[in-house]
Every structure is written in structure tokens, then in C-alpha cells.
Amino acid sequence: MNINKMQLVFLFFLALTITLKAQVPTGANLDFSSNNYTNWTAKEGSYQASTSSTPSWAWSTTYNDPTLATDGGGRLFEIYTDTAATDPRTSAHPIKKIPANWGYTHSSLINNANGDGNCSQLQYTMEVNSQNSLLTFNYAMVLEAPGHQGYENPTFQIDVMKHDPNNPSLMLNQLVDDCAFFEKQGATSAVDNITWFKDNSTYDPWVWCKWQQIKVNLAKFIGDRVTLRIRLGDCAFTAHGAYGYVVAKAEAPVVEVAGCAGEGDTVTLAHAPTGFESYKWFEIPELTSNQTDLEGYATTNTPVGTDSVLVVTEAMMGNATQKFYAVELVSPRTQTTRPNCKAYISAKVNDARPRLDNFTYIPVDPEDPQNKVGFVFADVQASGNAYFLGWQKFDFGDGDSLIFTFDNNKWKIDSTTLTSRTTVKHSLVDPSIVDTVYHTYQNNGTYQVTRCAQTSVDAECDSCRKCKTIEVIVPERPTLSFIDRDTICFGFNDTITAISPNNVDTANYKYEWWSENQAYTDPPMFVGKQYIAQNLTQTTIFKVRVTDTITNFYRKNNDTIYVQAFPDIKLTGDTIICLGNQASINANDATGETVAMQWSFIQPSTPAVITNPSTNPTLNYTPTKDTTIYLIAQTSQGCVAWKSVRLHIVDPRLKADKTKICDGESVVLTGSNAVSYSFTANPPDASLTENTKTTEPVTVSPLQTTTYTMKGYGSNDCFAERQITIIVEPHPVATISYSPSYVDVDVPILAIKDDSPNGVYSAWTFSDGGTSNARTINYTFHDLSKDSVQISLISSNSLGCSDTTQVRVPIELFAVWIPNAFTPNGDGSNDYFFFKTLNQLEDVNFEVFNRWGQQLYKYSEKVLNASDISDITKFGWDGKFKNEYVPSGTYQWKFTYKREGNPRVYKRTGVINVIR
């Protein structure tokens, strides 16, 4: 019997109920297997009124026998039975008239190629129950593609419609599911060379789709009726045709799969129908046809397969003899605006193969001179009660075999297969029951022993057979021990020699080495008798196997190399001390392995050697200078290490990041060459916390020149002092002095001086863009366009600390106005003659003369302010000489003066007219 014939194919049958007569069908003849249209009805009519946006199914005739419907092209409905027949128009990618690959033997034509504006419909009404709730319909359509608009083209539609539960004979205008509607118009745009194809016609080509398979879940309509409708229409202009092929079925969404797929890891194969867009297999807790439950499992359970065939393996079955699976089938769709139809089929899988889990063997006893191997004869059983085991065979791998047959409820040995090298041990409890099978091997070696069991007594039949092969090694066992140092120092090497002292001939022995963490199945890290373990840093176990390469008999053993750490010495004590103090240095070994030590003032050699061993861990020593002390330590295994410590005589150092600062700045004082430090200040510095020990630098901000004293402490609190003086220079106070107090437009020169207290350096900036660094400067201003000038000063001390100020100096425009006439008649108007000015004058002389040079009037003043001459009646000429008015006429005047801060003498002359 061929093993493939034992595989049960996952068949999915579809039941559809269409209300036709008083007895409502439940899916019978959906597949036209009766070779007639029993339970089907047909309609025929006109498609000519269709528009681009609306199809017009104008039915004129209903047929209980669809074979009676014809048009100019012949029959509109015809049943086909030839599974090899193909559609003549689709030769490039031929459509078979019957989809036999899906198990069908019949199909029906709907409409024909005559494009006379006709439309045709097949429909089937059925009552849904639990045994037909999975509806499958298949279609292949051929449409002419004239390039009209929308539904004016040849068109097909397929839908599944609801019925009124309260009036079952009434079909509602409602789909059973949004996905249960399929349509296409004849158009070359439909061609994708995958589902839709076209012929080579230039004008009005034919396009077609090969067989499509759709499954619709009707579980929600159990007890109700549904109707399947298939419609085709020629083009609306009676010039282009459309026809197709359909077939359907209905079935319960449950199938049972008996598991017996043959030998190996495969238990069975579960087949889902082909032709769907996608598949998703998943395990379910129990067999169910409830589509809602299955849809929930599909959402939450991890998929175990995504092909149409589910390979059920031993790993999937585990120790179970029965498992339940389901598959989600996603049907193709014709409209992207609608969802794909999804249906679910559940399956029960039985593992009916023999169980060989307990097939083990008893190795050769090292003390037994015979190469006898025992095989545990634990009784094998089928996975379930559906199959009966009738035959077993042991193949010992050396040419011998042993066959058992099941007879009268007992396993019976086929005596023709029993040799002197094979014996059977029976149970002490029941002597008729085989307990162990022993086989003696003539030669050492590795043998592949196979045990097979099957359900048939016929050894030539492959029905439900399962075999299991195990490897049996029959060796001679060498001895194994080691020669090594047993314990070594950290990081040292050790040479390990593997020996087989009890074996005479070891020339063919192979020694293989593994680390402790490796498995013997891993490649060995070394092959050879002598292994050098390098740089060992911890106690290490080596796994060694010696194998007789002639007999393949081996022995395993472990060798442990203990690693002793080098002394981990820590030296503690006062290492920074004052001159004359004693240092006490203590040694401690963290490993605890030190057994001898030696103190020295000379650096040890390499390797270090102890010449005067001691066990004293303490050294008391009074150094006179900085000194290095060494300690050599040695363990019981001779692991030697040394450590050193440096003794320092306290000689503290004190430094400052700067020794001159301006008031308000900070200085960082840093001590070194001591353990800790404290500071005092003279005079006292409020920014310093005095006499407080610290190991960190301190920051001070002296307000005046200050001397700081630092104490540097040793490990034992002794100390030495160091001093440093920080010079504090006060900030300058920027002060400007200048003369005169104004800028004379005639002589725009100021004498300017930096009078800043604490100032040393000057930086002048003038409003006309000039600059200077002189402490005193006579500066000439060149820009007198405004009413004043600005002087800016940055005055700095010797450290660059500075202060800034600025002053504005008014520009003085000097003017003296002298009238040329006046009327001295005592009327109170213009009775006096005098000059006018807004400025201060010095050394003033103002005189009036007649034409003979006689002085008539004189005014003199050392300093004259403008405010002093606001009332000229006090000192102006009243036009009199010797108390008499002078005659009308012209008189001479003479005027001399100086300006404030200006040594120049200004001289002016002119005439004054006396009018009466």
C-alpha cells in the first residue's frame, strides 16, 4: 500500500439552500451532479436599458428547466460533464469548463457569446443548517470588452441574498455579508495577466478570468433561507456578448483527519481547498463549526501554517494522540471597496502511528567480556484505538534482524529471524511477555539500530509504519589518568600528560581535550597526549576522552588543576610624617595564602626571591629622608609577589594662583606634599575659615595686603609651616580735572589731567574721536559743532583694575556787541552807551574820545561777568563830559579786554554817534 494513499485530503463541501418548491433544498444538486437543473431556477431578459452607472436586468421569462432558454446564439444554460473540455475563446490561457481540480464533475454554462443585448440568471434558494453552513461557489467568466462606459459593457454579478425570517419565501434586497457580492464589466483595464486575461484582438477583445473559488460563512443564518444568484448581461448596445461557467456546493465546516502519513517527523497532512488568496491555520481547543468562535481563535491564536496544506508534525502533536486545528480561507474579491469573504473549517487530527518513545538500549557492560547490548522491549501502542499494531522489526545494524508478529494478544518471535547472537528475556511476572532483547556484536564499533512498528502484519505494507533509529556503540574501554603539578600559581602554565597505565598497546589511542563548559559533542580544543594549559587564572577542570581508534571504545575522565593566587598585598600606615617621627607599616594579604615575607629597602629582583624569610607583618622605621620600603610575600606553592610604599618627610608647599590682586578679587591657595592643611591670615581675613584642616585648595578674598600661614600635616598629625603674602591694590576712582571750565571756540584747548586716586594708567577718549594714554594732556578739540564736548577716562592701577568716568565741557562762543549810536536826552530810552556780552571778561578798559583825542569817558574792571552789566546805567557813558551833554556828533571809542583762561589781549576801536 502506498503511504500517500493513506493521507486523508481535507475535503470542503458547500451546501446552499434555495427556495424552489414546498420542500426547500439544503444544497442538493448545487454541483449539478444530477446532470440536470433540479433545485435551480433561471431567468432570461433584456440588458439593453443599462446605463454607464446602472445595470438593467429586465427579466421577461422564468424557467424551472433552464435548458429551454435560448437566443440567437443557442442555449443560455447548459450542463457540462467532460472534465477535460476547455473554452475555445481562451486558448492563450485556457479555462476548463469544469474545475475538476477542486473535486467537481459538472458545471453549468450561463448566457452565451451572442451579443444581442440579452441577460441571463441562475439562482438557487436553500435552507441553512449546521451541515451546510459553509457555502462554496466557483465561477469563470468570459466578457467581450468593447470599451463602453461602465455597465454599458458586458457585465456579470454574483450575490448571496437574505430571506425574511418571518416570511421565508420572501427574498430581501440585502446581502448575507458585505463580502458576498462580485461583479465585473468587460474592460481591457481588468487585465492583469494573473486573474484576468485577454485575446489578441485589436478591436473589441475578449477578456476572461479563470476559475475563482469563494467560500461564504452562513452560520448566522442557520434555520433561515438564502439565495445564490449568478447574472450575466450582454452589452447595452446589442453588439457584444458575455458568458460564464458556474458550480457550487455546501458542506459542514468540520472534517476529521486520520493521522498516518508515513515515517519520519510528519504525522499527517491536512489539505484545505486551493484557489484562495490566503490561508491561516491555527490550533483550537475543541472541534467546532461555530464560525464566530473560529473567527475569534483566528484573531488570538498564533498561526501554525499559511499554505493550503498543513504539515502536522510530531512536535505539534507532542504527546497528544488527538489535536484540533482550523483554517481561515480568504476568498478573492472583484471590488476593493468590499471586504474579502472569510470562511473557517475545523479539523480533528488523530495520530494513529505506533509510539516508539521508549525505544532505548542498555550499553555494553565494561566488565562484560562480550559485546552484548540490551534493547528495552517496552510495548509499543498505536496513538489511538482506531488502529491495531501487528508487526515489529529490530534491525541491529550488523546484518542481523528480529521480527515480531502479534498473535493471540501476544507478541510472537518470527523464528526464521532469530540467530544465536540474539536472545530474548521474558518478564518474571508474565513469562509470555517479552521484557528485553539482547544482541551480541562480534566486533567493536558504532551501530545504527532501527526498530519499526506498523499496524499491518504484512511486512511489505507501509500502512501506518513508524521507525526509530538509535546509535549503539560497542567499544573497548581504555584506562585514563594524568601526570601534572596539581597546583600552580596564578597565570602560570602547567603541562598535563594523559596516560593509560592499564593498557599495553596504546599506539592507536587518541586523547581529546575539552574545557569544563564544553560538551563532548563539541570539537575538542586539543588532540594529543600532552597538553600545555597556559595562563591559568582560576582552578580549572579539563575533560579528557581517550579513544581506541581501532575499537572506538573510549573512557572519559576529568583532571583538575588548582590555581593559587599570588599574594595580594596591601601596605598601610603613616606614609607622610615629620622628620624624626617613626612610621609603622603593616602588611596584609587579601588572599590569605602568604606563609613567608621579607622587608627590604632595595627593589626586589625579577622574579623576587626571599633570602631572609619572616612572618612579621609590621615594620617600624624612622626615616631621615623620603624612603621606599618593599615587602616580598610568598605562598605555600612558591607564588611570590612584592609591594612597595613610599615614605615622605613632610615638606609642604604653598602656592597661590596670583600674589597681587585688586580689592574684591579672590586668590586660590593650594597646599601640596602633606596629608592635609590649615590656614591663618594676618591681618585677619573674613573670607578664610582659619585652623580648619582640609585636603582641598582654599579660596580667599583679602581686602588688604595679607600674609597667609599654612600648616602642612603628616599622617601622624605633625606639621610644618609655610607663608605667602598677597598684595592687594585698591581700585582707582576715576577723576578728571581740566581748565578752563569751557572750550573757547577761538582757542579750543583744554588742560586735562587724570587725578584718579590709585590710578597709574590712563586711557582718554574724546568726543571728536581723539585718544590718549598720557596722564596730563593739553588737548585741542577739532569738532565744535555741538554745544559741548565729552571727555571719557578709563583709569587703571598697576594690575589693570580700572574705573571709568566722563564729563561734558560746554563750548563758549565769545561775542561783544557795541552800539553805533545813542540819544542821551534823559527821556529814559537809549540814554547810555556801553558794550554788551554774555561772557566773563578780564582786564577790561573802555574809553570814549572826541575828535581832538580828548578822553571823555573811561571804564576799567579786573573781572567783569556778563551779569554785572545787566544794568548799564550804573557804569555806561551818559553822553556828558564834566556833567554837561556833549554836542551831537561822532565820537571815537577804544575797547581792550582778555577772556577767562586766555592770555591774549583783544583790542577794538570804533565810533559812536550822539543824537539829540
Side-chain angles (χ1 to χ4, degrees), residues 606-624:
T606 303
V609 178
I610 292 181
T611 58
N612 186 22
S614 169
T615 58
N616 185 4
T618 301
L619 173 67
N620 295 315
Y621 177 69
T622 303
T624 59

Side-chain angles (χ1 to χ4, degrees), residues 15-16 126 128 132-133 135 160 176 216-222 226:
L16 171 68
M126 76 175 199
V128 183
N132 68 359
S133 62
L135 171 64
V160 185
V176 297
V216 179
N217 171 14
L218 300 177
K220 293 186 292 186
F221 301 96
I222 292 177
V226 298

Side-chain angles (χ1 to χ4, degrees), residues 536-783:
L536 296 182
T537 58
Q538 60 183 355
T539 295
T540 305
I541 297 175
F542 296 97
K543 297 160 64 172
V544 183
R545 180 174 68 195
V546 56
T547 304
D548 187 332
T549 58
I550 302 299
T551 66
N552 291 323
F553 204 125
Y554 63 84
R555 181 182 292 276
K556 302 173 184 176
N557 201 356
N558 294 342
D559 186 35
T560 301
I561 304 300
Y562 296 94
V563 174
Q564 189 175 71
F566 282 92
D568 183 8
I569 302 299
K570 182 177 182 181
L571 299 178
T572 59
D574 298 332
T575 58
I576 302 177
I577 60 177
C578 296
L579 187 64
N581 288 167
Q582 185 183 74
S584 181
I585 306 301
N586 296 296
N588 180 62
D589 179 8
T591 69
E593 299 289 347
T594 294
V595 296
M597 60 184 66
Q598 178 177 305
W599 295 95
S600 173
F601 296 98
I602 300 174
Q603 181 173 325
S605 60
T606 303
V609 178
I610 292 181
T611 58
N612 186 22
S614 169
T615 58
N616 185 4
T618 301
L619 173 67
N620 295 315
Y621 177 69
T622 303
T624 59
K625 61 181 179 180
D626 288 0
T627 304
T628 300
I629 298 175
Y630 302 89
L631 175 71
I632 307 171
Q634 180 175 298
T635 68
S636 60
Q637 296 299 317
C639 305
V640 178
W642 60 269
K643 203 77 161 185
S644 66
V645 65
R646 183 76 172 169
L647 301 184
H648 296 277
I649 302 298
V650 174
D651 183 14
R653 301 285 188 269
L654 174 59
K655 68 176 182 178
D657 60 339
K658 46 197 171 187
T659 57
K660 290 184 178 182
I661 63 172
C662 295
D663 57 315
E665 293 185 335
S666 298
V667 175
V668 178
L669 303 177
T670 304
S672 60
N673 291 354
V675 175
S676 59
Y677 311 90
S678 67
F679 296 85
T680 58
N682 184 25
D685 179 0
S687 67
L688 174 67
T689 302
E690 295 191 348
N691 296 318
T692 298
K693 288 184 179 180
T694 181
T695 59
E696 301 296 327
V698 297
T699 300
V700 294
S701 300
L703 300 178
Q704 55 187 314
T705 298
T706 302
T707 298
Y708 294 92
T709 300
M710 181 193 76
K711 292 182 178 179
Y713 297 90
S715 302
N716 58 359
D717 228 22
C718 65
F719 65 86
E721 292 184 340
R722 299 292 184 268
Q723 287 186 336
I724 193 168
T725 298
I726 306 301
I727 298 173
V728 178
E729 293 191 9
H731 275 74
V733 179
T735 304
I736 301 174
S737 63
Y738 58 91
S739 178
S741 60
Y742 59 88
V743 177
D744 188 339
V745 293
D746 292 328
V747 186
I749 301 174
L750 288 182
I752 306 170
K753 181 180 180 183
D754 181 353
D755 278 338
S756 304
N758 308 316
V760 176
Y761 304 106
S762 305
W764 299 94
T765 303
F766 304 102
S767 57
D768 62 356
T771 60
S772 177
N773 296 111
R775 297 287 289 167
T776 300
I777 181 173
N778 291 321
Y779 185 76
T780 301
F781 289 92
H782 300 284
D783 182 3

Side-chain angles (χ1 to χ4, degrees), residues 837-841 861 863-870 900:
T837 184
L838 297 176
N839 307 110
Q840 177 178 301
L841 304 179
E861 185 64 56
V863 177
L864 178 65
N865 290 316
S867 59
D868 295 339
I869 59 176
S870 59
E900 181 184 8

